[in-house]
């Protein structure tokens, strides 16, 4: 089995505090932080890994807080690679945060997969007193109700959802029920969408490039659980961090063939193993 794989950027914050990416690292300046989702295509399947979000109120809030930003509806970004919403047959959600699960409603024909633990933990947290609001602050509040009205699977642990596509639990790390999406091609091996368990390659490679793991910030799990998770993740790809696909890392535009469009948003071609034509030339080549 072979899948073509893309990372699509639907927004960015030009100067995002690095202290929000790396735990206990208060003086590391800022990073350009993209907001992305993934696309998998085979000969007859079209799968999204997360959906992004489109909410002007959130766009405006983030712009007011951080300065320069740019945003497009993920549906419009998919059009750049020739995909219409109704063609998406499956959505794989790495976790229930607004910037990953906020556009599920746009893909009404798709079957949605998310860890049962993620939904049940969210519902339990939402039922707690207001002083526990940190646990639900970034969540997509209507996701449980939306899933109840459409084809959806609450996954219990690891699961194969298509030939070559596997869900792997990453519980009590970024969120209570986070999961990874591993894609294995006959042509070029395994690629892993890490969700928000890897914000930046620096989390895995070290802030100084020294190989010292830098745990993620903005987590409801534990740093200890994340460290074990990250060690296993690296072992699973033979230490090759290029095999890990983060959604908030600008370096992906340098590590893979990419295009940048007039609004400053990018598309990266991770693999064309599925035989699909290149879309890089639809935009300007990234420098």
């Amino acid at each position: 089995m072979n899948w073509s794989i893309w990372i699509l950027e639907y927004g960015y914050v030009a100067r995002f505090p690095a202290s929000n990416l790396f735990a206990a690292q208060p003086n590391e300046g800022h990073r350009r932080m993209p907001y992305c989702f993934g696309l998998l295509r085979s000969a007859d399947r079209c799968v999204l890994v997360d959906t992004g979000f489109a909410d002007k109120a959130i766009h405006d809030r983030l712009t007011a807080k951080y300065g320069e930003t740019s945003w497009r509806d993920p549906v419009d970004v998919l059009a750049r690679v020739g995909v219409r919403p109704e063609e998406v047959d499956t959505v794989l959600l790495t976790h229930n945060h607004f910037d990953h699960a906020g556009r599920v409603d746009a893909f009404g024909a798709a079957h949605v997969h998310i860890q049962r633990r993620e939904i049940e933990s969210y519902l339990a947290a939402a039922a707690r007193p207001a002083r526990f609001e940190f646990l639900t602050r970034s969540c997509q509040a209507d996701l449980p109700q939306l899933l109840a009205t459409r084809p959806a699977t609450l996954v219990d642990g690891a699961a194969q959802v298509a030939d070559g596509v596997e869900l792997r639990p990453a519980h009590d790390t970024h969120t209570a029920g986070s999961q990874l999406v591993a894609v294995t091609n006959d042509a070029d091996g395994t690629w892993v969408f890490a969700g928000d368990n890897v914000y930046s390659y620096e989390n895995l490679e070290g802030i100084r490039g020294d190989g010292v793991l830098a745990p993620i910030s903005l987590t409801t799990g534990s740093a200890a659980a994340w460290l074990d998770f990250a060690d296993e993740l690296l072992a699973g790809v033979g230490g090759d961090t290029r095999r890990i696909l983060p959604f908030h890392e600008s370096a992906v535009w340098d590590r893979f063939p990419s295009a940048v469009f007039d609004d400053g948003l990018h598309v990266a071609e991770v693999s064309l193993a599925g035989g699909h034509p290149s879309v890089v030339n639809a935009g300007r080549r990234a420098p």
Side-chain angles (χ1 to χ4, degrees), residues 21-274:
L21 304 176
F22 315 117
Q25 298 288 344
N27 299 306
E28 292 299 330
H30 297 79
R31 306 288 190 275
R32 181 195 184 279
M33 192 176 81
Y35 287 71
C36 304
F37 61 97
L39 171 65
L40 313 175
R41 298 189 75 185
S42 67
D44 58 356
R45 298 289 303 275
C46 187
V47 178
L48 292 189
V49 181
D50 294 337
T51 68
F53 77 100
D55 186 315
K56 186 177 185 303
I58 298 178
H59 298 167
D60 292 345
R61 175 171 60 82
L62 292 173
T63 303
K65 185 172 185 178
Y66 296 117
E68 178 190 344
T69 68
S70 180
W71 304 99
R72 291 290 298 270
D73 189 319
V75 170
D76 298 333
V77 172
L78 272 175
R80 291 175 170 175
V81 294
V83 173
R84 301 185 307 275
E86 60 271 22
E87 295 179 275
V88 176
D89 58 73
T90 305
V91 169
L92 310 175
L93 295 178
T94 61
H95 61 294
N96 178 28
H97 279 174
F98 74 91
D99 56 323
H100 295 260
R103 205 65 177 95
V104 171
D105 62 329
F107 306 101
H111 190 111
V112 182
H113 298 255
I114 191 170
Q115 288 287 315
R116 181 183 305 277
R117 183 180 178 91
E118 182 76 347
I119 295 300
E120 292 183 348
S121 296
Y122 165 72
L123 291 172
R128 301 184 78 174
R131 63 182 178 275
F132 292 97
E133 183 263 345
F134 174 81
L135 295 173
T136 59
R137 184 174 300 164
S138 297
C139 293
Q140 185 65 28
D142 65 352
L143 184 63
Q145 291 74 29
L146 181 61
L147 297 182
T149 68
R150 59 181 295 157
T153 298
L154 300 184
V155 182
D156 293 305
Q160 183 169 327
V161 294
D163 287 346
V165 181
E166 181 187 10
L167 304 179
R168 299 176 180 173
H171 295 167
D172 297 318
T173 52
H174 179 61
T175 63
S178 286
Q179 64 181 358
L180 311 181
V181 179
V183 184
T184 301
N185 284 329
D186 296 333
D188 56 12
T190 297
W191 307 89
V192 183
F193 288 98
D196 276 359
N197 269 303
V198 178
Y199 287 129
S200 166
Y201 289 116
E202 293 170 274
N203 293 122
L204 300 175
E205 297 172 354
I207 295 178
R208 305 285 175 266
D210 55 10
V212 176
L213 296 170
I216 56 174
S217 188
L218 298 177
T219 176
T220 58
S222 76
W226 183 88
L227 286 164
D228 288 336
F229 153 83
D231 196 49
E232 293 175 7
L233 175 65
L234 286 169
V237 295
D240 183 1
T241 55
R242 189 173 178 270
R243 292 277 166 181
I244 310 301
L245 306 176
F247 284 158
H248 294 296
E249 169 61 277
S250 289
V252 297
W253 320 131
D254 301 319
R255 298 194 183 197
F256 300 100
S258 300
V260 57
F261 293 80
D262 289 339
D263 52 13
L265 302 178
H266 297 72
V267 171
E269 290 177 348
V270 176
S271 172
L272 296 180

